[in-house]
Amino acid sequence: MAVLTPRATDFPRWYQDVLAKAELAENGPVRGTQVIRPYGYALWERMQAEVDARIKAAGAQNAYFPLFIPESYLRREAEHVEGFSPELAVVTIGGGKELEEPVVVRPTSETVIGEYLAKWTQSYRDLPLLLNQWANVVRWELRPRLFLRSSEFLWQEGHTAHADEADAAAYARRIAQEVYRDFLTNVLAIPVLVGVKTRRERFAGATNTMTCEGMMGDGKALQMATSHELGQNFARAFDIDYLGADGARHLAWTTSWGCSTRMVGGLIMAHGDDGGLRVPPRLAPTQVIVLPVRDDEAVVAAARELVSSLTDAGLRVRLDARPGLSFGRRVTDAEIKGMPVRVEVGPRDLAAGTVTVVRRDTSVKTPVPLAEVATRVSAALDEVQAGLYAEAVALREQRTADVTTIADAAAAAATGFARIPWSAVGEEGEARLAEDALTVRCLQTADGEIPAPGTPADELVALIARSY
Amino acid sequence: MAVLTPRATDFPRWYQDVLAKAELAENGPVRGTQVIRPYGYALWERMQAEVDARIKAAGAQNAYFPLFIPESYLRREAEHVEGFSPELAVVTIGGGKELEEPVVVRPTSETVIGEYLAKWTQSYRDLPLLLNQWANVVRWELRPRLFLRSSEFLWQEGHTAHADEADAAAYARRIAQEVYRDFLTNVLAIPVLVGVKTRRERFAGATNTMTCEGMMGDGKALQMATSHELGQNFARAFDIDYLGADGARHLAWTTSWGCSTRMVGGLIMAHGDDGGLRVPPRLAPTQVIVLPVRDDEAVVAAARELVSSLTDAGLRVRLDARPGLSFGRRVTDAEIKGMPVRVEVGPRDLAAGTVTVVRRDTSVKTPVPLAEVATRVSAALDEVQAGLYAEAVALREQRTADVTTIADAAAAAATGFARIPWSAVGEEGEARLAEDALTVRCLQTADGEIPAPGTPADELVALIARSY
Ligand SMILES: [Zn+2]
Ligand SMILES: [Zn+2]
């Protein structure tokens, strides 16, 4: 396993090594852009499918809005321009000619979707209007890092309009919990903390931002998804109003929410070990990899048969019988790619009517009678899913300190998360922490829930950490 | 049904009406761009899922390459620049500064994928390397038309590298037949003609272009998907070579192939009638729409129950019980949107233990006992699928003339397709036809198959038509 830099030696370098050796991604030719390789993209496709199913279950519909946005749209909401203009890519030449009005490559589709929400929102009967889009967006990035910060990334952005504040708030919360938290904990096996952002960390223009924060292997936080209530700010800027049942016009209340290819970075950093990636079985594009121990006709035939019986059992299975590669190389490849369960098929085992089942998370090897393989592999997959989650919870608990002073919070956040009463921090304390690159990742209730609107400050707990 | 311009009156206007009334798409704010509305996008998502499954079955893997391409890449292949430069969108400002080298928004990912194919192709063991990408591309369009020609569109582009010519040729053909033809005929229910392009119509840089040509409701042809053999031209330009088993370096042979949101336009124009869209059941996001005849509690409850029993039977079903809309309005909406089967639930029917099943393609209404609904609706869906295909075949046959002279071909192509021996046309005849905006859509063998390489010219049949 000497192919990767150990995490303890140099975590960022280990991350780069995993990206390269697991064939996940590499730099694109234009600075800050990325090429997502087939295995990295397969992980993203599985994330997309799982998140998309949850978004649809929450009643939102997918649509597609243009890549190009008139520059004037971005000026419509002052806070937007400020936030985005240093990050914009601007097209000035189109069809061989200088354009009269330059167009911006979307850094988000918020403004263009706002325009159409306004058009499609006429009567209270049109509400709620629940839209989602899967797309690429561009934010010029000077210090790029594959999957975590890149000039172009893939994401999903939801934009909804509601008749009243309570409906908008409930929907934004539903998305944070039923889409993001559910996916991140139950599929990605990352025990995210869900809470609200402080005013300082809130999305520009939002009245409330909910966030899912995961702890990475180095104790830093990664913001994995956010859901915003935008109040009527956005509706006012884009004139999203409707004719109420009362015959009068009312401004709508809007929300927006998103998650991105950044989650692939989170997956790597939350579960990876010194042997490479470890993919939770519910996410894994390949849950089971079957490896013939040697290039022997009978062994390969038995492996092939195993692949089809496991596939018939509803599992995602692949055979790796590449003739040019030694068994050891194929094992290392499966480990680096983090395939949850490996089944090794050898002539001696076969003679004894067994195969060897190996869990990626614990490296435990178990001989299993051929007749029981499907059941035992399924059970092993459940164990790996639960095992990765339990490990992530244990890491987070071990690296989270309950403190009461800002000095102790700063000390604890050097290696993990600090939990501290928000009343002991406040906006001044937050500003002081920021000087050491420490941020309040979120505010929660004492029992770790999303605080209801108007929860008194002295009932809030702040989570403080370094972050990506 | 007076909501749409009749097709016979003005086909292009009927097309625009369907786009608007079926809520499929509208113009984006930047000229030539499009907003794909939820129903239009749901059609595309279903197309994507079906095409993607076939691409994966053909062994290709999805990946993602950057939106931005250095200008210099496009210059690497001379034929590329010529073909694309008048259509390019160029980013000259990034991150608030003028860029040193402008970047092009991809009109296709061919060049950037070529660069990485070269990098990843080292040994014969790396081949075939079979990649596909789902992405947006931009080609500045002065005469835009929603779904058919737009400055930005969504597509799939496959790019593969092979060790020898025969393998590349076989793969390009496999994609044309097993991915595109299979999807277009068996799911979209469009009886496409599959053949090869003439030298004049071939993709720039290709040695052979295979195409799937569908006949639209106005008798014009639409090119719905293409698959190209690129010989070694592209490999030479991008240095895609490999170390052979013989220890020497060899240039690879490459292919590329694609289909796009243009297929949504094809779906509309191939199957639509004066009542709107007609979606083949295997594609339809909603196969069955259940309509309570009136806003009565018992009726709506019965409709709801029906929706769940049909869903349990594995069908894609939706309830339309919108209280603000009359039954007539909801019927018209379902018709315009082309939902294949409609189930009407009324109090009188319910009392008799029946509901009314209506086929969208024939408008035939059948009373069906409640206990038999699932079986009868499933059967009706199969009938609509077959019916739409049969209608499209009948239209094509009725509007295709076998001719032997160019003059007759031109006359026949005014309203449909002309089939004519290629030896009676030739490159000179082709040039003459082009003056009347008539093109050879493809060359086939006498029995309608893709000609094998080297088929003598006098065994080829040309299909001549006007086209989109
Ligand atoms: Zn308005
Ligand atoms: Zn090379």
Side-chain angles (χ1 to χ4, degrees):
Chain A
M1 293 216 192
V3 287
L4 306 174
T5 306
R7 290 184 307 157
T9 308
D10 186 341
F11 195 84
R13 187 144 163 203
W14 165 84
Y15 180 74
Q16 293 300 330
D17 285 353
V18 173
L19 292 177
K21 301 288 182 184
E23 301 181 328
L24 295 170
E26 43 189 274
N27 293 317
V30 171
R31 186 169 167 71
T33 63
Q34 61 191 358
V35 172
I36 306 180
R37 301 187 65 177
Y39 189 53
Y41 197 78
L43 293 169
W44 172 242
E45 265 186 335
R46 289 277 311 133
M47 290 181 187
Q48 263 195 302
E50 292 281 345
V51 171
D52 192 63
R54 286 167 176 77
I55 288 172
K56 286 183 170 130
Q61 292 184 292
N62 288 338
Y64 188 80
F65 293 84
L67 176 70
F68 292 151
I69 298 178
E71 242 187 356
S72 57
Y73 273 40
L74 281 140
R75 272 182 236 117
R76 203 154 325 161
E77 220 211 348
E79 295 183 72
H80 250 84
V81 203
E82 270 176 50
F84 286 118
S85 73
E87 302 180 348
L88 297 179
V90 184
V91 174
T92 59
I93 298 170
K97 283 191 212 157
E98 190 98 7
L99 299 177
E100 284 180 29
E101 188 192 351
V103 300
V104 162
V105 182
R106 62 181 165 215
T108 152
S109 300
E110 193 141 46
T111 59
V112 64
I113 294 183
E115 187 77 9
Y116 287 82
L117 279 178
K119 199 167 164 182
W120 299 333
T121 297
Q122 297 301 329
S123 131
Y124 67 96
R125 289 204 184 91
D126 300 322
L127 298 177
L129 188 47
L130 312 172
L131 297 179
N132 178 58
Q133 169 174 266
W134 291 95
N136 54 345
V137 286
V138 168
R139 298 176 190 177
W140 210 264
E141 187 56 67
L142 296 175
R143 297 171 305 127
R145 196 137 173 217
L146 292 169
F147 288 124
L148 297 173
R149 257 196 325 268
S150 51
S151 291
E152 179 193 6
F153 56 92
L154 305 181
W155 78 344
Q156 150 279 309
E157 51 180 315
H159 298 274
T160 69
H162 304 258
D164 59 55
E165 183 171 20
D167 195 51
Y171 197 76
R173 194 185 179 95
R174 179 176 178 187
I175 293 290
Q177 294 179 322
E178 294 176 21
V179 177
Y180 300 136
R181 179 167 69 186
D182 185 69
F183 166 71
L184 292 166
T185 58
N186 295 325
V187 179
L188 270 199
I190 300 178
V192 287
L193 299 169
V194 190
V196 299
K197 290 288 185 189
T198 60
R199 194 185 314 239
R200 183 191 177 96
E201 297 291 326
R202 211 180 266 163
F203 179 64
T207 57
N208 185 29
T209 289
M210 281 162 278
T211 179
C212 296
E213 302 281 329
M215 182 186 276
M216 302 296 105
D218 58 354
K220 282 189 180 178
L222 180 73
Q223 175 180 303
M224 302 198 69
T226 49
S227 181
H228 315 287
E229 291 172 55
L230 304 172
Q232 294 183 304
N233 296 335
F234 191 74
R236 197 168 294 115
F238 284 86
D239 188 28
I240 308 173
D241 58 3
Y242 67 95
L243 191 66
D246 58 1
R249 296 208 73 83
H250 302 271
L251 266 187
W253 298 75
T254 69
T255 81
S256 73
W257 28 279
C259 66
S260 75
T261 35
R262 192 161 222 240
M263 291 193 299
V264 181
L267 167 73
I268 299 168
M269 295 195 294
H271 293 308
D273 67 10
D274 287 351
L277 193 56
R278 296 189 301 174
V279 186
R282 285 195 202 136
L283 183 81
T286 299
Q287 299 176 305
V288 186
I289 181 114
V290 177
L291 299 182
V293 164
R294 50 160 129 122
D295 190 6
D296 166 301
E297 214 173 296
V299 173
V300 175
R304 240 178 255 288
E305 214 165 293
L306 206 57
V307 168
S308 54
S309 75
L310 290 171
T311 305
D312 289 347
L315 304 177
R316 296 186 288 274
V317 192
R318 231 166 45 77
L319 177 74
D320 185 359
R322 286 174 288 175
L325 288 181
S326 72
F327 176 61
R329 285 282 298 281
R330 284 178 285 130
V331 166
T332 305
D333 189 55
E335 282 180 340
I336 289 180
K337 290 190 170 139
M339 289 158 182
V341 166
R342 185 168 89 229
V343 179
E344 302 176 354
V345 183
R348 216 174 308 160
D349 284 348
L350 278 183
T354 64
V355 294
T356 303
V357 172
V358 190
R359 274 175 63 169
R360 170 65 181 85
D361 60 334
T362 56
S363 299
V364 169
K365 297 188 180 204
T366 315
V368 168
L370 271 169
E372 291 172 29
V373 176
T375 333
R376 299 283 289 276
V377 163
S378 291
L381 289 170
D382 290 345
E383 286 158 24
V384 175
Q385 183 77 33
L388 288 174
Y389 186 77
E391 256 191 72
V393 169
L395 174 81
R396 195 191 69 196
E397 285 179 357
Q398 180 209 321
R399 294 229 191 173
T400 299
D402 280 295
V403 298
T404 53
T405 69
I406 290 194
D408 287 350
T415 56
F417 290 0
R419 275 171 54 92
I420 180 170
W422 173 234
S423 55
V425 184
E427 300 198 347
E428 277 170 54
E430 194 181 11
R432 226 171 327 138
L433 287 163
E435 292 167 16
D436 297 322
L438 298 176
T439 45
V440 177
R441 303 313 304 160
C442 66
L443 302 174
Q444 295 188 312
T445 62
D447 54 352
E449 284 299 315
I450 303 176
T455 304
D458 64 1
E459 290 175 22
L460 296 174
V461 175
L463 271 136
I464 305 203
R466 295 164 301 151
S467 72
Y468 282 92
Chain B
M1 293 219 192
V3 286
L4 306 174
T5 306
R7 288 184 309 156
T9 307
D10 185 342
F11 195 83
R13 186 144 166 203
W14 166 84
Y15 180 74
Q16 294 300 331
D17 285 353
V18 173
L19 291 177
K21 301 288 182 185
E23 301 180 330
L24 296 170
E26 44 189 272
N27 292 317
V30 171
R31 185 167 168 74
T33 64
Q34 60 191 358
V35 171
I36 307 180
R37 301 188 66 177
Y39 188 54
Y41 197 78
L43 293 169
W44 171 243
E45 265 185 336
R46 289 277 312 133
M47 291 182 187
Q48 262 196 301
E50 293 282 346
V51 171
D52 193 62
R54 285 166 176 77
I55 288 172
K56 286 183 170 129
Q61 293 183 292
N62 288 338
Y64 187 79
F65 293 84
L67 175 70
F68 291 152
I69 298 178
E71 242 187 357
S72 57
Y73 274 40
L74 281 140
R75 273 182 235 118
R76 202 150 330 157
E77 220 211 348
E79 294 184 72
H80 250 85
V81 203
E82 270 176 51
F84 286 119
S85 73
E87 300 180 350
L88 297 179
V90 184
V91 174
T92 58
I93 298 171
K97 284 191 210 155
E98 190 99 6
L99 299 177
E100 285 179 29
E101 188 191 351
V103 300
V104 162
V105 182
R106 62 181 166 217
T108 151
S109 300
E110 194 140 47
T111 59
V112 65
I113 294 182
E115 187 77 9
Y116 287 82
L117 279 179
K119 200 168 165 181
W120 298 334
T121 298
Q122 297 301 329
S123 132
Y124 67 95
R125 290 205 182 91
D126 299 324
L127 298 177
L129 190 47
L130 312 173
L131 297 178
N132 178 58
Q133 168 174 268
W134 291 95
N136 54 344
V137 286
V138 169
R139 299 178 190 176
W140 211 262
E141 188 56 68
L142 297 174
R143 296 171 306 125
R145 196 136 174 219
L146 292 170
F147 288 123
L148 298 174
R149 256 195 326 266
S150 51
S151 291
E152 180 194 6
F153 56 93
L154 304 181
W155 79 345
Q156 151 280 309
E157 50 179 316
H159 298 274
T160 70
H162 304 258
D164 59 54
E165 182 171 20
D167 195 51
Y171 197 75
R173 186 188 258 263
R174 179 176 178 186
I175 293 290
Q177 294 178 323
E178 295 177 20
V179 176
Y180 300 136
R181 180 169 68 186
D182 186 68
F183 166 70
L184 292 166
T185 57
N186 294 325
V187 179
L188 270 200
I190 300 178
V192 288
L193 299 169
V194 189
V196 299
K197 289 288 185 188
T198 60
R199 195 185 312 240
R200 184 192 177 97
E201 296 291 326
R202 210 179 268 164
F203 179 63
T207 58
N208 186 29
T209 290
M210 282 161 278
T211 178
C212 297
E213 302 281 329
M215 182 186 275
M216 302 296 104
D218 58 354
K220 282 189 180 178
L222 181 72
Q223 174 181 304
M224 302 198 70
T226 50
S227 181
H228 315 287
E229 291 172 56
L230 304 172
Q232 295 183 304
N233 297 336
F234 191 73
R236 197 169 293 116
F238 284 87
D239 187 29
I240 307 173
D241 57 3
Y242 67 95
L243 191 65
D246 59 0
R249 296 207 74 83
H250 302 271
L251 267 187
W253 298 77
T254 69
T255 80
S256 73
W257 28 278
C259 67
S260 73
T261 34
R262 190 162 225 239
M263 292 193 299
V264 181
L267 166 73
I268 300 167
M269 294 194 297
H271 293 307
D273 67 10
D274 287 350
L277 194 55
R278 296 190 301 175
V279 186
R282 287 195 201 135
L283 184 81
T286 300
Q287 298 176 305
V288 186
I289 182 117
V290 177
L291 300 182
V293 164
R294 51 161 128 122
D295 191 6
D296 165 301
E297 216 172 295
V299 173
V300 174
R304 238 178 256 287
E305 214 166 295
L306 205 55
V307 167
S308 53
S309 75
L310 290 171
T311 304
D312 290 346
L315 304 177
R316 296 186 289 274
V317 192
R318 234 166 43 76
L319 176 75
D320 185 0
R322 285 174 288 176
L325 290 180
S326 71
F327 175 61
R329 283 283 296 280
R330 285 178 286 129
V331 166
T332 305
D333 189 54
E335 281 179 340
I336 288 181
K337 290 190 169 138
M339 289 158 184
V341 166
R342 184 167 90 228
V343 180
E344 302 177 352
V345 183
R348 215 175 307 161
D349 283 348
L350 278 182
T354 64
V355 294
T356 304
V357 171
V358 190
R359 275 174 61 169
R360 171 64 182 85
D361 61 333
T362 56
S363 299
V364 170
K365 299 188 180 204
T366 315
V368 168
L370 270 169
E372 292 173 29
V373 176
T375 333
R376 298 284 289 275
V377 164
S378 291
L381 289 170
D382 290 344
E383 286 159 23
V384 175
Q385 183 76 33
L388 288 173
Y389 186 76
E391 255 191 74
V393 169
L395 174 81
R396 196 190 68 195
E397 286 179 357
Q398 178 208 320
R399 293 229 191 174
T400 299
D402 281 294
V403 298
T404 53
T405 69
I406 291 195
D408 286 352
T415 55
F417 290 1
R419 277 171 52 93
I420 180 170
W422 173 232
S423 55
V425 185
E427 300 198 348
E428 275 169 53
E430 195 181 9
R432 225 172 327 137
L433 287 164
E435 291 167 17
D436 296 324
L438 298 176
T439 46
V440 177
R441 302 313 303 159
C442 65
L443 301 175
Q444 294 188 313
T445 62
D447 54 352
E449 284 300 315
I450 304 176
T455 304
D458 65 0
E459 289 175 21
L460 297 173
V461 174
L463 270 136
I464 304 200
R466 296 165 300 152
S467 72
Y468 282 93

